[in-house]
Amino acid sequence: MNKTVMVVDDSASVRQVVSITLKSAGYDVVEACDGKDALGKLNGQKLNLIICDVNMPNLDGISFVKELKKTTQHRFTPVIMLTTESEEAKKKEGQAAGARAWIVKPFQPAQMLNAVAKLCLP
Amino acid sequence: MSSNPALNEARDTFFAESREMLQVIEDTLLALESNAADDETINALFRAAHTIKGSAGLFDFERIVRFTHVVESVLQRVRDGAIRLLPPLVSLLLVCGDQIAALLAEAEADTLAKSPAPHPNTDAHGAELVAQLNDYLAPAAAGGALLRTADPIAEPVPAAHGGVASEHWHISVRFGPDVLRNGMDPLSFVRYLGSLGRLISVSTVFDGMPDAATMDPETCYLGFEIALMTDADRQTIADAFEFVRDDCALRILPPHSKLAEYVQLIAAMPEDDIRLGELLVRSGSLTEAELAAGLSAQGQRRVPGEAPPQLGEILLGQQSVEAPVLNAALDKQLRVRERVAQESRFVRVRADKLDQLINLVGELVVASAGVNLRALALKDAALQEATASLTHLVEQIRDDALQLRMVQLAETFNRFNRIVRDTARELGKEIELQIEGGDTELDKTMVEKLADPLMHLVRNAIDHGIEAPEVRAAAGKPRCGTLTLAACHDSGSIVITVRDDGAGLSRERLLKKGIERGLVAPGDQLSDSEVFNLIFAPGFSTAQTVTELSGRGVGMDVVKRNIQALRGVVSLGSEPGRGTTVTMRLPLTLAIIDGFLVGVAGAMFVVPQELVIECIEAPALDLQQDYLNLRGEVLPFLRLDQMLGSVGEPVATRNTRRSSVVVVRTGSGKAGLLVDSLHGEFHTVIKPLGKLFQNIRGVSDATILGNGEVALVLDVSALVGSAATRLQGGTVPAHGSRALAQAV
Amino acid sequence: MIQISSEAGRSVARLEGEFTIYQAAESKPPLMAAIADSEELEINLAGVTEIDSAGLQLLLLAKREALRTGKSVRLVAHSEATLAVIDLLGLAGYFGDPLVLRA
């Protein structure tokens, strides 16, 4: 059974690239365009990993992680946060919320794949 | 990446999406000009920049990433409340939005092209914007954004000899209690290590797990001793644990590590030494003999009553630190020091402090001249020698001080990138700006005063010089016109040219207009240069009909005045169908003058050296005559004594002397200055005239001569100009008056 | 999911589906109770589709508890997922159970 990764990002092009990269490496991918959308898609969805942008409209990444940690079904699902170097403060906030894995944007698709592999090989 | 059609599609999404984001940025910024910024607005701004940067990175658009990163950092500070979004910043950000748009367009073009083209103009403009943006970044933040801190795990790899027998890496890791709750599964890291090479052996350590009653099933108690055969480096191995770096104890030993390092590892891990030693032997990282040797080395050092030796001591005592390791460390230190040196190579100084210094140096030069004069009067050889060396030093200081104020023209030139682009776009033209000699240096005060005339010239060239793409194509020229800003040094002056490859000026039209305006007599034979330079005549372009000429004429007389105020001359050349070139020749600085000293009516005057072409002996002249024959050329000349008034001896005595003519360069031609005596070249600091004298026409500044006398610096352009006006308005229909008018 | 059955002093714990951190908290009490209640416990792993570090820790705890109290805990009918983990972490020796290796 393939590992399933949820990609949460408000940028359609980022979602597209991440999704294509993951699929070509053998993962199944679920896409969501912001934190709110992602929460809506969690229910009943088997997920091995979530890749989530920090800065998003409606519900930002950190708030999403906080909500995620409240669910019974997904509270231990690993999350990779996409952040930028300029968001050190956000990183602290995210760490407090339980986010441990970070990829600094901009990143190469291969870099992202490598980070995903550390948490779940396909 | 381009081979993957799905990714190409994603890239198209990126371009579309980024343009949307830019629109959001622009709309938001424009709205901010009328409304105060609330948090949500600022968030939206930040997010837009953030998204562009983040996405651009995925597609390898380095230039977009680099530039947007800085914009984003500034917006970050706005969002953090560190800086406020005031109008200057809003304007700057608007310009930055345009820059991102330009980068996007270029990225898109590069994607379509087989090989990416360089974009020096956009890059230069970007660099300038980044410099401005950096003003809004705290020094620490700006530095932090650029410098990555060294990774603590990145240690030099020890030498491959003198260590234990095992050929694999040994990784020893103990996970923190919260790892599982944070969604991290230690198993996944082991699997990942397996993907880096071959797992020789893994030993699971769970000695820290408490008894069944207190064991918390969601707490992590695991650790591993791993033997890994891999070609990966230490950093790669360490990075496997990057997401749990703060939540684990990690030791990595490279192949053939020193026994002492294993001893250190054994001591550092929470388990009993013997138990851990067994694990190491089991994993194949240590042999039994090696373990025994290591543990006994540790034991032997324990002298009763003394604290056990630090493991670092064992390490250092047992094996010497290898030379390569030491060298690597020293290298690194050296590099750090070099960087610090680089940073401190520049000192920012306020411009007015520099001006103050240069003024003082000017005073020093004058004072030194005074001392020199006294010394000469006293006829004291020793004193004269001392003042001579003093004078020499003062001159050096003067030159060096002036050098401090020299700046490169590149910054001024680069500012035109946006103007050219914007104006060209407005007019539906395609124009590329080329910059040559941007590293040419010029006095800062000059550079500032050059901005306006350059702006006029560039605008004119875009408006009226370069044709619309269709017109160009029809004429067999490339659709994209080229506008060139160039600077170079030429015999002590700086020459700046603004050149376009447009349609050029029409000689016939100019001539017709010149005749209409009474600047040229019908039937006169004028050279091309004379015709083209009519354009600088005041009000030349105030024509009724909107023509190519009317536009180009806008401000040309202003340009000329500006350049003359800088003691420079401006001239224009044009070839029909090939383009127009405006050339400005300027002194390097206003603070110092390379002058030619002349005597007129017993007073001393300085003619700026860059304007002097030659000196000739005055022929016998008729009192009414205002031109002479210079090797077959008509040379209008000015009688300086008459123009400046008789300030010295009566005319009668002077007439007995032989006078000379100094031939000077004017805008488009030459003019002569009739003087009494020539005193040669002369290099000195200029003292501006007091306010009272500022309106004296014909004299621009003053300077002090070595003998303490004051010499006035002639404003040649103004002199020739006023002479021409006087003659034109007068009744003398002499040949020279017209020639003079043209020369202006 | 964990199901405990008991017959003639011998208990069988049947693990089904995921045996991960999501099930760890609820699985520990019945598993420990099963060890306390009988001399011999057989943990049947046939139905385990996924096991992570948390699940593994419980198996380690069960085995260690048995060793400490002189009882017997055996892992049987390893599923592919459990075999892979035990193999990866070099724990076959510790559990000491016969493993069916796949060709």
Short mmCIF file of all heavy atoms in Angstrom, two decimals, chain B residues 12 24 77 100 105 119 144 160 223 275-276 286 307 344 368 388 405 411 422 433 435 503 517 543 561 721:
data_model
loop_
_atom_site.label_atom_id
_atom_site.label_comp_id
_atom_site.label_asym_id
_atom_site.label_seq_id
_atom_site.Cartn_x
_atom_site.Cartn_y
_atom_site.Cartn_z
N ASP B 12 3.83 27.06 -15.91
CA ASP B 12 2.88 28.03 -16.44
C ASP B 12 1.95 28.52 -15.33
O ASP B 12 1.65 29.71 -15.23
CB ASP B 12 2.06 27.43 -17.58
CG ASP B 12 2.93 27.18 -18.81
OD1 ASP B 12 4.02 27.79 -18.89
OD2 ASP B 12 2.55 26.37 -19.65
N VAL B 24 -1.97 41.74 -6.67
CA VAL B 24 -2.42 41.90 -5.28
C VAL B 24 -1.51 42.89 -4.56
O VAL B 24 -1.96 43.81 -3.89
CB VAL B 24 -2.41 40.54 -4.54
CG1 VAL B 24 -2.59 40.73 -3.04
CG2 VAL B 24 -3.48 39.63 -5.10
N ARG B 77 9.46 42.58 8.47
CA ARG B 77 9.70 43.57 9.52
C ARG B 77 8.50 44.49 9.70
O ARG B 77 8.20 44.91 10.80
CB ARG B 77 10.95 44.38 9.20
CG ARG B 77 12.21 43.51 9.14
CD ARG B 77 13.43 44.30 9.48
NE ARG B 77 13.36 44.73 10.86
CZ ARG B 77 14.03 45.75 11.36
NH1 ARG B 77 14.81 46.44 10.62
NH2 ARG B 77 13.91 46.07 12.63
N ILE B 100 10.05 42.60 -9.85
CA ILE B 100 9.70 41.18 -9.84
C ILE B 100 9.01 40.82 -11.16
O ILE B 100 9.28 39.77 -11.75
CB ILE B 100 8.81 40.84 -8.63
CG1 ILE B 100 9.58 41.08 -7.33
CG2 ILE B 100 8.34 39.39 -8.69
CD1 ILE B 100 8.75 40.97 -6.08
N ALA B 105 9.14 38.10 -16.32
CA ALA B 105 9.10 38.14 -17.78
C ALA B 105 10.38 37.54 -18.35
O ALA B 105 10.34 36.75 -19.31
CB ALA B 105 8.92 39.57 -18.26
N HIS B 119 20.89 39.28 -18.14
CA HIS B 119 20.06 40.47 -18.06
C HIS B 119 20.74 41.49 -17.17
O HIS B 119 20.31 41.72 -16.03
CB HIS B 119 18.68 40.12 -17.47
CG HIS B 119 17.96 39.07 -18.27
ND1 HIS B 119 17.34 39.35 -19.45
CD2 HIS B 119 17.79 37.75 -18.05
CE1 HIS B 119 16.78 38.24 -19.93
NE2 HIS B 119 17.06 37.26 -19.11
N GLY B 144 21.78 38.02 8.85
CA GLY B 144 21.26 36.69 9.11
C GLY B 144 20.64 36.07 7.88
O GLY B 144 20.68 34.87 7.70
N ALA B 160 42.19 8.73 7.99
CA ALA B 160 41.70 7.37 7.84
C ALA B 160 42.65 6.33 8.41
O ALA B 160 42.44 5.16 8.25
CB ALA B 160 41.46 7.08 6.36
N GLY B 223 16.60 3.75 21.44
CA GLY B 223 17.88 4.23 20.93
C GLY B 223 18.43 3.14 20.04
O GLY B 223 17.97 1.99 20.08
N ARG B 275 27.83 -2.77 28.94
CA ARG B 275 26.68 -3.11 28.10
C ARG B 275 26.83 -2.44 26.74
O ARG B 275 26.65 -3.07 25.70
CB ARG B 275 25.40 -2.63 28.80
CG ARG B 275 24.22 -2.37 27.90
CD ARG B 275 23.21 -3.50 27.99
NE ARG B 275 21.98 -3.15 27.26
CZ ARG B 275 21.72 -3.59 26.05
NH1 ARG B 275 22.57 -4.38 25.42
NH2 ARG B 275 20.59 -3.25 25.46
N LEU B 276 27.22 -1.20 26.76
CA LEU B 276 27.35 -0.46 25.52
C LEU B 276 28.52 -1.02 24.70
O LEU B 276 28.44 -1.15 23.48
CB LEU B 276 27.56 1.02 25.80
CG LEU B 276 27.29 1.94 24.62
CD1 LEU B 276 25.83 1.86 24.22
CD2 LEU B 276 27.66 3.36 24.96
N LEU B 286 33.46 -2.38 16.85
CA LEU B 286 34.68 -2.59 17.62
C LEU B 286 34.95 -4.09 17.70
O LEU B 286 34.03 -4.89 17.72
CB LEU B 286 34.52 -2.06 19.05
CG LEU B 286 34.55 -0.56 19.31
CD1 LEU B 286 34.48 -0.31 20.80
CD2 LEU B 286 35.81 0.06 18.72
N ALA B 307 39.26 12.85 40.60
CA ALA B 307 38.13 12.74 39.69
C ALA B 307 38.57 11.96 38.45
O ALA B 307 39.73 12.03 38.07
CB ALA B 307 37.67 14.13 39.29
N SER B 344 35.23 45.14 7.06
CA SER B 344 35.69 46.39 7.62
C SER B 344 36.51 47.19 6.62
O SER B 344 37.14 48.17 6.96
CB SER B 344 36.51 46.13 8.88
OG SER B 344 37.55 45.27 8.55
N SER B 368 48.97 77.58 2.89
CA SER B 368 50.30 77.08 2.57
C SER B 368 50.95 77.97 1.50
O SER B 368 52.15 78.24 1.54
CB SER B 368 50.18 75.63 2.13
OG SER B 368 51.15 75.31 1.19
N ALA B 388 58.65 74.18 0.84
CA ALA B 388 58.49 73.40 -0.40
C ALA B 388 57.97 72.01 -0.08
O ALA B 388 57.06 71.49 -0.74
CB ALA B 388 59.81 73.31 -1.15
N ARG B 405 35.98 61.74 -2.56
CA ARG B 405 34.64 62.11 -2.95
C ARG B 405 34.27 61.58 -4.34
O ARG B 405 33.21 61.86 -4.87
CB ARG B 405 34.48 63.62 -2.90
CG ARG B 405 33.09 64.02 -2.46
CD ARG B 405 32.98 65.46 -2.08
NE ARG B 405 33.57 66.37 -3.05
CZ ARG B 405 33.56 67.69 -2.91
NH1 ARG B 405 33.02 68.24 -1.85
NH2 ARG B 405 34.11 68.46 -3.82
N GLU B 411 25.93 53.90 -10.56
CA GLU B 411 24.69 54.04 -9.83
C GLU B 411 23.74 55.01 -10.53
O GLU B 411 22.55 54.75 -10.69
CB GLU B 411 24.99 54.51 -8.41
CG GLU B 411 23.91 54.17 -7.43
CD GLU B 411 24.21 54.75 -6.07
OE1 GLU B 411 25.40 54.78 -5.68
OE2 GLU B 411 23.26 55.19 -5.42
N ASP B 422 10.07 52.00 -18.50
CA ASP B 422 8.72 52.53 -18.33
C ASP B 422 8.31 53.42 -19.49
O ASP B 422 7.23 53.27 -20.05
CB ASP B 422 8.63 53.35 -17.03
CG ASP B 422 8.56 52.45 -15.81
OD1 ASP B 422 8.61 51.22 -16.02
OD2 ASP B 422 8.45 52.96 -14.69
N LEU B 433 18.65 49.54 -22.80
CA LEU B 433 19.63 50.50 -22.30
C LEU B 433 20.97 49.79 -22.13
O LEU B 433 21.06 48.76 -21.48
CB LEU B 433 19.19 51.09 -20.97
CG LEU B 433 20.17 52.09 -20.33
CD1 LEU B 433 20.27 53.36 -21.15
CD2 LEU B 433 19.75 52.41 -18.91
N ILE B 435 24.90 50.27 -20.84
CA ILE B 435 25.72 51.15 -20.01
C ILE B 435 27.18 50.80 -20.23
O ILE B 435 27.57 49.63 -20.15
CB ILE B 435 25.31 51.01 -18.53
CG1 ILE B 435 23.94 51.65 -18.35
CG2 ILE B 435 26.34 51.68 -17.63
CD1 ILE B 435 23.32 51.42 -17.02
N ALA B 503 16.39 57.72 -35.47
CA ALA B 503 16.31 58.26 -36.82
C ALA B 503 17.30 59.38 -37.07
O ALA B 503 17.57 59.73 -38.21
CB ALA B 503 14.90 58.79 -37.08
N ARG B 517 14.13 81.45 -36.99
CA ARG B 517 14.34 82.10 -35.70
C ARG B 517 15.49 83.11 -35.76
O ARG B 517 15.93 83.61 -34.75
CB ARG B 517 14.60 81.05 -34.64
CG ARG B 517 13.43 80.11 -34.49
CD ARG B 517 13.44 79.40 -33.18
NE ARG B 517 13.35 80.33 -32.07
CZ ARG B 517 12.21 80.84 -31.60
NH1 ARG B 517 11.07 80.52 -32.17
NH2 ARG B 517 12.22 81.67 -30.59
N ALA B 543 8.30 75.48 -31.03
CA ALA B 543 7.63 75.53 -32.33
C ALA B 543 6.14 75.34 -32.15
O ALA B 543 5.68 74.84 -31.14
CB ALA B 543 8.18 74.45 -33.24
N ARG B 561 22.82 74.72 -20.24
CA ARG B 561 23.13 75.59 -19.11
C ARG B 561 23.65 74.78 -17.92
O ARG B 561 24.60 75.17 -17.26
CB ARG B 561 21.88 76.36 -18.68
CG ARG B 561 21.73 77.71 -19.38
CD ARG B 561 20.94 78.70 -18.51
NE ARG B 561 19.64 78.22 -18.09
CZ ARG B 561 18.56 78.20 -18.87
NH1 ARG B 561 18.64 78.64 -20.11
NH2 ARG B 561 17.41 77.75 -18.42
N GLY B 721 28.50 83.58 -24.66
CA GLY B 721 27.06 83.75 -24.79
C GLY B 721 26.67 85.22 -24.72
O GLY B 721 25.93 85.71 -25.57
#
